[in-house]
Amino acid sequence: MCIRDKLYLDGPYGRRPGKNSSSLSQSDGYTVSLLTIDEYLRQPVAERLPYYQREGRLYHVMMSQQFPRPLMEEIFGVANTLKAMSHDYEGLEFLSRLLRHKRAMLYFTQPSTRTFLSFLTACQLVGITTGEVQDPALSSEYKGESQEDAIRVFSSYFDLVIMRDPKPGFCEYIAYRQDRTGFSVPILNGGSGKDQHPTQALLDLYTMHRSFQRMGGISGKRYAFVGDLQRGRAVRSVMYLLANYEDLDFYAIAPKGFQISPDLQLHLGERGVRLHFTDQLNEVLPEVDCIYMTRVQDEYDLSGESGKIDLANFSLTEENVNLLPKHAIILHPLPRRQEISSGIDANPRAMYWSQLRNGVYIRAALLLYIFGKNEQLPIIQEKSRS
Ligand code: CP
């Protein structure tokens, strides 16, 4: 039996056909029994994580827990270099040759502006050619093709799939299935339901890293998180990443019923994060170094529960923004609604426009890292703020 057949038949989550399992037919006649998505996601995260790397290197990007601090900071260094090299023609020329031999598929079945466009721009920066499906109604899914089959097609034509999907854990499940087809390509999670948005979190941490560079770094700071902390995937992923640092206070400011979910609270507690729960925004503002605002994720409402929230209690205005210390930074994954008044945009604390620009460099850095091209870049010293 060859190694490939062995992986199919004895892989970590492969098994004999049984009730509720599905199967993949191989061209050589083998049938591989697969776990269902529920069965797969019932496996502890610690057991799933090793399957998202190859030879000790990041391969699929699924969740923040894949990024220990040294890896994160290595990617920040690559992003700094990309940022510096993007300012002149020679730098752009050099970068555009690095991954000219690669093709990426952008498959976004949930709306996006920043993640889609910054991944597209990041691909262009490092020379990757792209294809896209943003409206499944214009693909053969309209004719009844499953998403699993559609992604199997993408992996036949492209070297990488970047995807967003409203179903929590679906990207992970696709990676698991895809790895058992013999045509595995890296899959990057660009947002999976209420679950995780790891590349958003990386660019958020990168913005904090740069902003706090001359203030002792990310450790030892006080962070406020405001809004829908239960269903916001970006804020969940940010908290997981921040928990890699030491001596942190988190102020969780959320409406009743929208607080940080128990699984994440447990993780933060285990990492020594001091958690403070409140719904009194103005009392917390003078205490924090960073405030991370979020919108209410009403697309996940079951029965109009978001409509009962008094949003004024979870908003930054031109009045209360000045309760923040002068050095504090304001972040938001965007899009925003009323939770940050546009009158604050010119406030020196407002970092959310720099934050979204950082998304291009972080995502390009990640692409270089995945394809092992980061080591071909010169090392360029960091500049602080923005
Ligand atoms: N922050 C973010 O994910 O934005 P988009 O939904 O526009 O991609």
Side-chain angles (χ1 to χ4, degrees), residues 259-293:
Q259 263 297 356
I260 306 174
S261 57
D263 62 327
L264 180 52
Q265 284 189 36
L266 186 68
H267 180 86
L268 297 173
E270 285 169 358
R271 292 298 184 109
V273 175
R274 294 179 292 274
L275 267 175
H276 315 275
F277 299 98
T278 178
D279 56 7
Q280 298 300 308
L281 174 62
N282 287 359
E283 286 179 12
V284 170
L285 289 177
E287 307 298 326
V288 298
D289 303 290
C290 172
I291 183 164
Y292 191 97
M293 301 297 294

Side-chain angles (χ1 to χ4, degrees), residues 61-77:
V61 175
M62 293 291 140
M63 61 179 89
S64 288
Q65 294 94 312
Q66 289 177 270
F67 293 90
R69 187 169 157 182
L71 173 58
M72 226 188 329
E73 294 183 351
E74 187 176 350
I75 292 169
F76 294 166

Side-chain angles (χ1 to χ4, degrees), residues 108 111-117 164 190 197 200 203 233-234 295 332-335 363:
F108 277 59
S112 169
T113 300
R114 275 147 293 271
T115 311
F116 179 85
L117 287 176
R164 168 174 288 191
H197 195 351
Q200 175 69 45
L203 74 92
R233 59 191 171 202
R295 109 187 132 78
H332 193 310
L334 304 177
R363 290 179 169 126

Side-chain angles (χ1 to χ4, degrees), residues 89-301:
Y89 180 85
E90 286 75 22
L92 287 169
E93 262 295 294
F94 176 86
L95 296 175
S96 71
R97 285 195 294 270
L98 289 173
L99 290 173
R100 195 171 276 176
H101 57 304
K102 297 292 182 190
R103 291 160 301 205
M105 178 65 196
L106 290 105
Y107 176 56
F108 277 59
T109 58
Q110 204 182 23
S112 169
T113 300
R114 275 147 293 271
T115 311
F116 179 85
L117 287 176
S118 65
F119 261 122
L120 184 71
T121 311
C123 286
Q124 290 166 347
L125 186 64
V126 293
I128 299 178
T129 314
T130 55
E132 64 185 73
V133 167
Q134 288 198 76
D135 181 358
L138 298 177
S139 77
S140 282
E141 283 180 50
Y142 181 75
K143 295 179 265 183
E145 184 164 57
S146 68
Q147 283 183 282
E148 287 84 349
D149 280 0
I151 294 163
R152 193 165 177 170
V153 174
F154 304 154
S155 72
S156 301
Y157 297 155
F158 294 90
D159 304 295
L160 169 78
V161 175
I162 303 162
M163 62 181 286
R164 168 174 288 191
D165 195 273
K167 298 181 284 302
F170 187 66
C171 299
E172 272 196 76
Y173 186 60
I174 285 296
Y176 156 72
R177 285 183 67 102
Q178 200 53 45
D179 283 353
R180 281 147 190 82
T181 62
F183 294 93
S184 171
V185 297
I187 296 184
L188 273 60
N189 174 4
S192 51
K194 296 178 278 186
D195 175 26
Q196 287 248 0
H197 195 351
T199 63
Q200 175 69 45
L202 276 177
L203 74 92
D204 296 341
L205 268 280
Y206 179 54
T207 309
M208 294 173 192
H209 172 78
R210 290 178 67 86
S211 300
F212 294 145
Q213 209 167 296
R214 293 195 185 148
M215 287 186 271
I218 289 174
S219 291
K221 299 280 184 298
R222 295 154 299 172
Y223 298 83
F225 300 93
V226 184
D228 188 343
L229 306 185
Q230 196 198 46
R231 303 178 298 182
R233 59 191 171 202
V235 72
R236 269 178 67 80
S237 289
V238 166
M239 289 187 192
Y240 273 114
L241 277 193
L242 271 175
N244 286 324
Y245 289 81
E246 290 98 44
D247 188 21
L248 304 176
D249 284 281
F250 283 5
Y251 295 85
I253 306 158
K256 198 166 180 298
F258 294 87
Q259 263 297 356
I260 306 174
S261 57
D263 62 327
L264 180 52
Q265 284 189 36
L266 186 68
H267 180 86
L268 297 173
E270 285 169 358
R271 292 298 184 109
V273 175
R274 294 179 292 274
L275 267 175
H276 315 275
F277 299 98
T278 178
D279 56 7
Q280 298 300 308
L281 174 62
N282 287 359
E283 286 179 12
V284 170
L285 289 177
E287 307 298 326
V288 298
D289 303 290
C290 172
I291 183 164
Y292 191 97
M293 301 297 294
T294 69
R295 109 187 132 78
V296 172
Q297 310 279 313
D298 52 8
E299 63 269 43
Y300 300 115
D301 273 7

